[in-house]
Amino acid sequence: RHTRFKCDWSSDVCSSDLDLFTPEIVQLIEEAARNASLAWEAGEVERQRDAEREKRSAAEERFQRIFTSSPVPKQIHSASDGRLIAINQEHERIFGYPLDEIRGSLWFERAYPDEELRQKITRYWKLDIERARKSPEVITSPELSIRCRDGSERIVVGHMALSGNDMIVSWTDLTAIRRSEQALRDSEERFRVLAENSLAGIYVVEGQQLAYVNPAFAAIFGYRVRSEEHTSELQSHLNLVCRLLL
């Protein structure tokens, strides 16, 4: 049922029902409204905080996935004291150490067993941390030889960047490249020794020019390879021979 209240607007005072809205009640209503507004604002602030926490959590989860599954060996060090606090899967695969064996300062002891070299590396490491604090650029180390868990050596270059209070280090493994270069140098040296001591004449042609002749080849034509006075004459003569041979 709905009750209708009638007010005689021609009189100075309405019906007694309207007397319910006294100044005290109005004040209570206004205070309730303010409290409701404050409660809503507090709830909105909390919702914003929850949203920010979710964003941070999602960002941390993405970073963790990227860090863990990266195909590049990576480390995280504390920027305050330089101690190792995390490594990824590729780091353990390349160097062989689980985190528990190299955590903190143990990494430097395992990776650089020579004390003199370790002290030098540690000194430069502290200087690099200070440089990273002053500059946002990535700091690159010289080539380093790191001792692996199985006793082998890896030739690497480190790339260090500061993120908050963390130093993130990525390692570029140059071992295969340097071994290939060394194998090529060894092969060239074996060829040189063989050619220099051969009784047969040996020559190497690059383009239409003789790039190399051994002593036996020069002797066949009456020259000495290492004689400065014969160098240009020998080259001209052998280039002519090269054209005839080709």
Side-chain angles (χ1 to χ4, degrees):
R1 296 177 57 187
H2 297 280
T3 302
R4 294 186 178 182
F5 296 93
K6 184 178 180 181
C7 178
D8 183 3
W9 296 103
S10 60
S11 63
D12 294 332
V13 181
C14 296
S15 66
S16 60
D17 298 81
L18 294 180
D19 291 338
L20 294 174
F21 296 99
T22 61
E24 292 78 5
I25 293 177
V26 171
Q27 183 178 359
L28 290 174
I29 293 174
E30 290 176 348
E31 290 180 358
R34 283 196 297 270
N35 291 336
S37 178
L38 291 174
W40 183 89
E41 290 176 359
E44 184 64 19
V45 170
E46 188 60 30
R47 284 190 291 272
Q48 291 177 359
R49 289 176 179 172
D50 289 341
E52 289 298 324
R53 282 194 290 266
E54 289 178 3
K55 288 180 180 179
R56 286 197 299 270
S57 178
E60 291 173 358
E61 185 177 347
R62 284 195 300 271
F63 172 81
Q64 185 63 35
R65 286 200 304 268
I66 294 171
F67 176 80
T68 302
S69 60
S70 172
V72 177
K74 291 181 179 293
Q75 301 173 330
I76 298 178
H77 294 254
S78 168
S80 59
D81 57 16
R83 298 170 68 83
L84 179 64
I85 57 179
I87 61 174
N88 68 347
Q89 295 173 352
E90 186 66 7
H91 187 283
E92 183 172 348
R93 188 187 74 82
I94 291 293
F95 299 113
Y97 299 106
L99 179 60
D100 288 343
E101 293 185 10
I102 55 175
R103 192 190 302 273
S105 61
L106 291 176
W107 162 249
F108 294 96
E109 297 178 14
R110 301 287 191 271
Y112 312 104
D114 180 79
E115 184 175 356
E116 183 178 352
L117 175 61
R118 182 169 64 252
Q119 290 178 353
K120 183 178 179 180
I121 294 293
T122 303
R123 184 167 60 252
Y124 281 114
W125 167 251
K126 292 178 180 178
L127 292 175
D128 286 342
I129 291 178
E130 293 303 317
R131 284 176 56 198
R133 286 197 178 102
K134 299 175 182 178
S135 173
E137 66 183 22
V138 175
I139 297 174
T140 300
S141 76
E143 288 190 13
L144 302 170
S145 180
I146 289 181
R147 177 72 58 84
C148 299
R149 192 171 188 264
D150 62 4
S152 63
E153 300 282 337
R154 289 273 181 179
I155 302 172
V156 298
V157 169
H159 310 279
M160 182 171 65
L162 181 65
S163 177
N165 194 43
D166 293 331
M167 296 299 306
I168 301 176
V169 180
S170 302
W171 296 103
T172 299
D173 188 1
L174 302 177
T175 308
I177 296 175
R178 296 296 179 257
R179 285 176 179 171
S180 296
E181 293 173 347
Q182 185 60 47
L184 179 59
R185 287 193 293 269
D186 292 344
S187 177
E188 291 174 344
E189 178 63 16
R190 285 194 297 270
F191 170 80
R192 188 192 67 78
V193 172
L194 176 63
E196 293 289 306
N197 294 280
S198 175
L199 298 177
I202 298 174
Y203 64 94
V204 176
V205 177
E206 291 183 357
Q208 295 296 318
Q209 299 290 319
L210 280 170
Y212 169 82
V213 296
N214 71 338
F217 187 94
I220 291 173
F221 297 97
Y223 295 97
R224 288 178 299 166
V225 174
R226 294 182 177 83
S227 175
E228 293 183 4
E229 60 183 292
H230 290 168
T231 299
S232 59
E233 185 180 353
L234 173 62
Q235 185 65 49
S236 299
H237 182 83
L238 293 182
N239 286 340
L240 175 61
V241 173
C242 178
R243 287 193 292 271
L244 294 175
L245 292 174
L246 297 177

mmCIF file of all heavy atoms in Angstrom, residues 196-217:
data_model
loop_
_atom_site.group_PDB
_atom_site.id
_atom_site.type_symbol
_atom_site.label_atom_id
_atom_site.label_comp_id
_atom_site.label_asym_id
_atom_site.label_seq_id
_atom_site.Cartn_x
_atom_site.Cartn_y
_atom_site.Cartn_z
ATOM 1 N N GLU A 196 107.375 -25.502 -47.281
ATOM 2 C CA GLU A 196 108.720 -24.940 -47.181
ATOM 3 C C GLU A 196 109.789 -26.017 -47.249
ATOM 4 O O GLU A 196 110.915 -25.764 -47.702
ATOM 5 C CB GLU A 196 108.859 -24.160 -45.870
ATOM 6 C CG GLU A 196 108.013 -22.900 -45.796
ATOM 7 C CD GLU A 196 108.530 -21.815 -46.708
ATOM 8 O OE1 GLU A 196 109.720 -21.469 -46.601
ATOM 9 O OE2 GLU A 196 107.757 -21.319 -47.537
ATOM 10 N N ASN A 197 109.468 -27.205 -46.781
ATOM 11 C CA ASN A 197 110.460 -28.279 -46.740
ATOM 12 C C ASN A 197 110.293 -29.289 -47.861
ATOM 13 O O ASN A 197 111.032 -30.289 -47.902
ATOM 14 C CB ASN A 197 110.382 -28.995 -45.390
ATOM 15 C CG ASN A 197 110.801 -28.099 -44.239
ATOM 16 O OD1 ASN A 197 111.979 -27.900 -43.974
ATOM 17 N ND2 ASN A 197 109.820 -27.523 -43.553
ATOM 18 N N SER A 198 109.381 -29.065 -48.766
ATOM 19 C CA SER A 198 109.157 -29.999 -49.869
ATOM 20 C C SER A 198 110.228 -29.826 -50.942
ATOM 21 O O SER A 198 110.693 -28.711 -51.205
ATOM 22 C CB SER A 198 107.765 -29.761 -50.468
ATOM 23 O OG SER A 198 107.584 -30.576 -51.612
ATOM 24 N N LEU A 199 110.608 -30.948 -51.548
ATOM 25 C CA LEU A 199 111.544 -30.906 -52.671
ATOM 26 C C LEU A 199 110.832 -30.600 -53.982
ATOM 27 O O LEU A 199 111.481 -30.271 -54.979
ATOM 28 C CB LEU A 199 112.291 -32.246 -52.785
ATOM 29 C CG LEU A 199 113.158 -32.623 -51.580
ATOM 30 C CD1 LEU A 199 113.787 -34.004 -51.790
ATOM 31 C CD2 LEU A 199 114.238 -31.581 -51.347
ATOM 32 N N ALA A 200 109.521 -30.715 -53.977
ATOM 33 C CA ALA A 200 108.724 -30.421 -55.173
ATOM 34 C C ALA A 200 108.341 -28.944 -55.184
ATOM 35 O O ALA A 200 108.157 -28.328 -54.132
ATOM 36 C CB ALA A 200 107.479 -31.286 -55.212
ATOM 37 N N GLY A 201 108.210 -28.387 -56.363
ATOM 38 C CA GLY A 201 107.797 -27.006 -56.489
ATOM 39 C C GLY A 201 106.297 -26.850 -56.201
ATOM 40 O O GLY A 201 105.472 -27.558 -56.775
ATOM 41 N N ILE A 202 105.950 -25.973 -55.300
ATOM 42 C CA ILE A 202 104.554 -25.754 -54.918
ATOM 43 C C ILE A 202 104.242 -24.268 -55.071
ATOM 44 O O ILE A 202 105.033 -23.407 -54.658
ATOM 45 C CB ILE A 202 104.291 -26.189 -53.467
ATOM 46 C CG1 ILE A 202 104.558 -27.688 -53.301
ATOM 47 C CG2 ILE A 202 102.859 -25.852 -53.046
ATOM 48 C CD1 ILE A 202 104.454 -28.173 -51.860
ATOM 49 N N TYR A 203 103.099 -23.962 -55.666
ATOM 50 C CA TYR A 203 102.681 -22.569 -55.797
ATOM 51 C C TYR A 203 101.182 -22.456 -55.513
ATOM 52 O O TYR A 203 100.438 -23.417 -55.658
ATOM 53 C CB TYR A 203 103.007 -22.020 -57.191
ATOM 54 C CG TYR A 203 102.267 -22.702 -58.320
ATOM 55 C CD1 TYR A 203 101.061 -22.188 -58.806
ATOM 56 C CD2 TYR A 203 102.787 -23.858 -58.922
ATOM 57 C CE1 TYR A 203 100.385 -22.806 -59.843
ATOM 58 C CE2 TYR A 203 102.120 -24.475 -59.958
ATOM 59 C CZ TYR A 203 100.913 -23.948 -60.415
ATOM 60 O OH TYR A 203 100.247 -24.565 -61.445
ATOM 61 N N VAL A 204 100.776 -21.269 -55.086
ATOM 62 C CA VAL A 204 99.371 -20.977 -54.809
ATOM 63 C C VAL A 204 98.964 -19.793 -55.673
ATOM 64 O O VAL A 204 99.654 -18.762 -55.695
ATOM 65 C CB VAL A 204 99.141 -20.647 -53.325
ATOM 66 C CG1 VAL A 204 97.691 -20.246 -53.083
ATOM 67 C CG2 VAL A 204 99.526 -21.839 -52.453
ATOM 68 N N VAL A 205 97.850 -19.943 -56.371
ATOM 69 C CA VAL A 205 97.365 -18.903 -57.266
ATOM 70 C C VAL A 205 96.100 -18.281 -56.687
ATOM 71 O O VAL A 205 95.191 -18.987 -56.261
ATOM 72 C CB VAL A 205 97.061 -19.475 -58.666
ATOM 73 C CG1 VAL A 205 96.491 -18.381 -59.577
ATOM 74 C CG2 VAL A 205 98.309 -20.082 -59.270
ATOM 75 N N GLU A 206 96.063 -16.945 -56.639
ATOM 76 C CA GLU A 206 94.854 -16.210 -56.262
ATOM 77 C C GLU A 206 94.518 -15.265 -57.403
ATOM 78 O O GLU A 206 95.287 -14.346 -57.683
ATOM 79 C CB GLU A 206 95.068 -15.437 -54.965
ATOM 80 C CG GLU A 206 95.199 -16.321 -53.737
ATOM 81 C CD GLU A 206 95.349 -15.526 -52.455
ATOM 82 O OE1 GLU A 206 95.415 -14.272 -52.546
ATOM 83 O OE2 GLU A 206 95.419 -16.147 -51.374
ATOM 84 N N GLY A 207 93.380 -15.492 -58.050
ATOM 85 C CA GLY A 207 93.038 -14.725 -59.242
ATOM 86 C C GLY A 207 93.969 -15.124 -60.367
ATOM 87 O O GLY A 207 94.113 -16.299 -60.686
ATOM 88 N N GLN A 208 94.652 -14.159 -60.925
ATOM 89 C CA GLN A 208 95.636 -14.435 -61.971
ATOM 90 C C GLN A 208 97.055 -14.164 -61.479
ATOM 91 O O GLN A 208 97.976 -14.000 -62.276
ATOM 92 C CB GLN A 208 95.339 -13.549 -63.198
ATOM 93 C CG GLN A 208 94.020 -13.865 -63.881
ATOM 94 C CD GLN A 208 94.011 -15.266 -64.476
ATOM 95 O OE1 GLN A 208 94.984 -15.706 -65.079
ATOM 96 N NE2 GLN A 208 92.904 -15.978 -64.300
ATOM 97 N N GLN A 209 97.240 -14.139 -60.156
ATOM 98 C CA GLN A 209 98.544 -13.853 -59.578
ATOM 99 C C GLN A 209 98.992 -15.016 -58.702
ATOM 100 O O GLN A 209 98.183 -15.693 -58.080
ATOM 101 C CB GLN A 209 98.477 -12.576 -58.726
ATOM 102 C CG GLN A 209 98.076 -11.319 -59.480
ATOM 103 C CD GLN A 209 99.162 -10.853 -60.424
ATOM 104 O OE1 GLN A 209 100.342 -10.882 -60.080
ATOM 105 N NE2 GLN A 209 98.772 -10.423 -61.613
ATOM 106 N N LEU A 210 100.302 -15.219 -58.682
ATOM 107 C CA LEU A 210 100.861 -16.198 -57.759
ATOM 108 C C LEU A 210 100.921 -15.573 -56.372
ATOM 109 O O LEU A 210 101.582 -14.565 -56.160
ATOM 110 C CB LEU A 210 102.268 -16.607 -58.204
ATOM 111 C CG LEU A 210 102.349 -17.640 -59.333
ATOM 112 C CD1 LEU A 210 103.776 -17.756 -59.821
ATOM 113 C CD2 LEU A 210 101.849 -18.989 -58.865
ATOM 114 N N ALA A 211 100.206 -16.162 -55.454
ATOM 115 C CA ALA A 211 100.189 -15.643 -54.095
ATOM 116 C C ALA A 211 101.305 -16.239 -53.248
ATOM 117 O O ALA A 211 101.735 -15.636 -52.263
ATOM 118 C CB ALA A 211 98.843 -15.930 -53.442
ATOM 119 N N TYR A 212 101.777 -17.424 -53.622
ATOM 120 C CA TYR A 212 102.813 -18.083 -52.834
ATOM 121 C C TYR A 212 103.576 -19.071 -53.704
ATOM 122 O O TYR A 212 102.988 -19.756 -54.556
ATOM 123 C CB TYR A 212 102.198 -18.834 -51.648
ATOM 124 C CG TYR A 212 103.174 -19.762 -50.952
ATOM 125 C CD1 TYR A 212 104.076 -19.268 -50.015
ATOM 126 C CD2 TYR A 212 103.209 -21.118 -51.244
ATOM 127 C CE1 TYR A 212 104.988 -20.106 -49.386
ATOM 128 C CE2 TYR A 212 104.110 -21.979 -50.619
ATOM 129 C CZ TYR A 212 104.995 -21.472 -49.686
ATOM 130 O OH TYR A 212 105.893 -22.296 -49.070
ATOM 131 N N VAL A 213 104.880 -19.120 -53.494
ATOM 132 C CA VAL A 213 105.710 -20.186 -54.074
ATOM 133 C C VAL A 213 106.654 -20.660 -52.996
ATOM 134 O O VAL A 213 107.075 -19.872 -52.139
ATOM 135 C CB VAL A 213 106.511 -19.699 -55.300
ATOM 136 C CG1 VAL A 213 105.584 -19.294 -56.436
ATOM 137 C CG2 VAL A 213 107.471 -18.586 -54.941
ATOM 138 N N ASN A 214 106.967 -21.925 -52.978
ATOM 139 C CA ASN A 214 107.908 -22.431 -51.996
ATOM 140 C C ASN A 214 109.342 -22.334 -52.535
ATOM 141 O O ASN A 214 109.552 -22.037 -53.711
ATOM 142 C CB ASN A 214 107.543 -23.858 -51.590
ATOM 143 C CG ASN A 214 107.815 -24.862 -52.696
ATOM 144 O OD1 ASN A 214 107.892 -24.491 -53.873
ATOM 145 N ND2 ASN A 214 107.943 -26.131 -52.329
ATOM 146 N N PRO A 215 110.333 -22.508 -51.676
ATOM 147 C CA PRO A 215 111.726 -22.384 -52.120
ATOM 148 C C PRO A 215 112.071 -23.302 -53.297
ATOM 149 O O PRO A 215 112.833 -22.903 -54.186
ATOM 150 C CB PRO A 215 112.520 -22.752 -50.868
ATOM 151 C CG PRO A 215 111.623 -22.379 -49.734
ATOM 152 C CD PRO A 215 110.239 -22.691 -50.214
ATOM 153 N N ALA A 216 111.504 -24.500 -53.293
ATOM 154 C CA ALA A 216 111.820 -25.431 -54.378
ATOM 155 C C ALA A 216 111.299 -24.903 -55.709
ATOM 156 O O ALA A 216 111.993 -25.000 -56.740
ATOM 157 C CB ALA A 216 111.210 -26.803 -54.077
ATOM 158 N N PHE A 217 110.115 -24.321 -55.713
ATOM 159 C CA PHE A 217 109.552 -23.772 -56.954
ATOM 160 C C PHE A 217 110.416 -22.621 -57.452
ATOM 161 O O PHE A 217 110.708 -22.506 -58.657
ATOM 162 C CB PHE A 217 108.120 -23.298 -56.704
ATOM 163 C CG PHE A 217 107.395 -22.872 -57.945
ATOM 164 C CD1 PHE A 217 106.593 -23.777 -58.625
ATOM 165 C CD2 PHE A 217 107.509 -21.585 -58.439
ATOM 166 C CE1 PHE A 217 105.921 -23.384 -59.775
ATOM 167 C CE2 PHE A 217 106.849 -21.187 -59.578
ATOM 168 C CZ PHE A 217 106.049 -22.091 -60.252
#
